[in-house]
Amino acid sequence: MQILDGIKLAKEIKQEIKSSVEEAVSQGKRPPHLAAVLVGNDGASQTYVNNKIKDCEFVGFKSSLVKLPNTVSQTELIEEIEKLNNQEDLDGFIVQLPLPSQIDQEEIIEAIDPKKDVDGFHPENFGKMALDMSTFLPATPFGILEMLERYEIPTKGKHAVIIGRSRIVGRPMSILMGRKDFPGNSTVTLTHSNTENLAEYTQHADIVITALGVPGFLKADMIKEGAVVIDVGITRVDDDSEKGYSLVGDVDFENVKNKASWITPVPGGVGPMTRAMLLKNTLLAYKSNIR
Ligand code: GUN
C-alpha cells in the first residue's frame, strides 16, 4: 500500500501558484482576488472558509469575506452576489454551501456570473464540463484528477466506480473520469445510496472513489486486491479527544489499506487538494485562461 499524500501535493501546487502570483506582481499587476460568501455560523463551513482565506494569504492572493446572518433573505443574498459579479477587481468568488433552509440554493448558484464561478457549480459551467469545453472544474473532482496525474496512476480504460452522486463531487467526478482529455479516460460506474448490490461493482473496480459521507462504509471485502482507493468522505464523529470530535472518511482505512495499491488518508488526502484547486481556478480566472 502506498499513500496518496494530499498535503504534500497541495503544497507543491500552492508553491507553483505562489510563484505565478509573484511573477505577475513583479510586473506591476494587481494580485488575484478571491471572495467567499459565508451565511450563518455553521462550524464546519466557518472552518472551511477560514482555511480558504489562509490559503489565499499563503499564495499572495487578495481575499474578501462577506459574512451574512442566518436569517438573510433570498433577495438580500442575490443583491450581495450581484455586487460581487460587478466588482471590477474581483476574479472569482464562492458561496459556501450548505445554505439555510429559506434559501433556494439553485437560484443562488444561477445568480453567480459563470466567469467568476470558481467552484464550477453554475449550470453553464457544469454543462461545459460535461461537453468537454473549457471551464472551471469543481475543485474536489479536479483535485482528484490532479492527484491521479501527479502520482502517475494508470486510469486509461480502467474501471472507475464512484459512490455518491452529489452535484459537488460524485456526479462531476463520474463525468470527468470518463472524459478523454484528462487523466481519466476510464470506464465509469456511478453508484449511490439506492444502488442494489453495491459491493458487486466495487469488487470489480480498479479505482474506487467514495463520496458518500458514511464513516467506514467501504470495507476490505468490498474491493479487489490492488485497487486504488480515493476517500472523499469527511464526517465529524464525536469522541473524547481534546477537540471533542475527529474527522472520519468513508473508508475503513485500517483494513482497506492492506488490500489497496494506493489510498488517500482522511484527513490529509483529498481535502487539501480541493483547497489547492480552488486557488488554481482563481488563478485561471485571473489570467482569463480557464482550462
Ligand atoms: N461546501 C462543501 N464543499 C464546498 C465547496 O467546494 N464549495 C462550496 N462553495 N461550498 C462547499
Side-chain angles (χ1 to χ4, degrees):
M1 176 273 300
Q2 297 186 78
I3 294 281
L4 293 161
D5 186 345
I7 296 177
K8 186 180 121 214
L9 268 196
K11 234 181 236 167
E12 274 174 34
I13 294 166
K14 285 194 283 188
Q15 203 56 53
E16 290 163 16
I17 295 171
K18 189 175 181 198
S19 304
S20 203
V21 173
E22 280 166 0
E23 195 185 323
V25 170
S26 75
Q27 291 165 1
K29 299 191 182 114
R30 68 163 175 85
H33 182 187
L34 172 69
V37 179
L38 176 63
V39 180
N41 37 28
D42 174 71
S45 289
Q46 281 178 339
T47 307
Y48 290 143
V49 167
N50 288 340
N51 285 337
K52 287 169 186 177
I53 287 171
K54 265 190 233 155
D55 289 337
C56 285
E57 280 166 21
F58 178 81
V59 298
F61 287 6
K62 182 178 169 188
S63 65
S64 306
L65 173 61
V66 180
K67 271 184 107 163
L68 299 169
N70 208 38
T71 52
V72 74
S73 71
Q74 184 81 7
T75 315
E76 287 164 337
L77 185 48
I78 290 188
E79 275 170 17
E80 289 297 332
I81 290 172
E82 285 300 331
K83 278 191 221 160
L84 298 172
N85 284 342
N86 295 322
Q87 194 177 324
E88 280 290 327
D89 80 328
L90 183 67
D91 301 293
F93 65 97
I94 63 142
V95 179
Q96 187 66 29
L97 305 178
L99 292 166
S101 56
Q102 76 275 16
I103 301 292
D104 175 348
Q105 181 181 293
E106 291 307 317
E107 196 189 359
I108 296 303
I109 292 172
E110 284 193 51
I112 300 172
D113 180 347
K115 292 192 178 59
K116 292 192 176 184
D117 169 38
V118 282
D119 259 334
F121 292 170
H122 191 285
E124 182 177 316
N125 289 330
F126 199 97
K128 284 183 171 175
M129 174 197 65
L131 294 168
D132 299 3
M133 293 163 76
S134 175
T135 187
F136 300 114
L137 304 178
T140 300
F142 192 10
I144 293 169
L145 291 179
E146 193 78 18
M147 191 175 233
L148 293 169
E149 184 170 38
R150 291 192 186 220
Y151 272 98
E152 298 179 8
I153 306 274
T155 57
K156 185 176 164 190
K158 302 292 182 194
H159 185 200
V161 172
I162 293 147
I163 311 174
R165 56 185 155 184
S166 70
R167 66 173 293 148
I168 298 182
V169 185
R171 206 115 34 112
M173 192 77 244
S174 69
I175 294 167
L176 289 168
M177 277 305 280
R179 269 178 64 163
K180 199 172 180 178
D181 54 346
F182 285 126
N185 211 350
S186 302
T187 304
V188 178
T189 302
L190 178 60
T191 68
H192 47 74
S193 53
N194 289 115
T195 298
E196 292 179 7
N197 304 320
L198 191 138
E200 282 181 19
Y201 300 97
T202 54
Q203 280 159 354
H204 291 99
D206 301 302
I207 302 163
V208 181
I209 304 174
T210 66
L212 203 58
V214 178
F217 175 82
L218 192 81
K219 307 272 187 264
D221 64 2
M222 294 169 73
I223 66 159
K224 75 175 182 187
E225 194 73 43
V228 177
V229 177
I230 312 276
D231 190 351
V232 188
I234 187 153
T235 307
R236 282 185 186 216
V237 175
D238 292 338
D239 60 16
D240 38 355
S241 68
E242 206 173 300
K243 273 189 184 165
Y245 67 88
S246 50
L247 299 171
V248 183
D250 286 350
V251 175
D252 175 14
F253 186 85
E254 281 312 310
N255 294 306
V256 170
K257 74 175 200 289
N258 302 319
K259 216 169 163 188
S261 56
W262 292 92
I263 188 166
T264 60
V266 174
V270 174
M273 293 301 291
T274 297
R275 287 167 54 183
M277 301 324 273
L278 176 65
L279 299 171
K280 191 147 182 173
N281 276 344
T282 307
L283 185 67
L284 294 173
Y286 172 75
K287 293 184 171 171
S288 300
N289 181 28
I290 50 177
R291 186 163 184 171

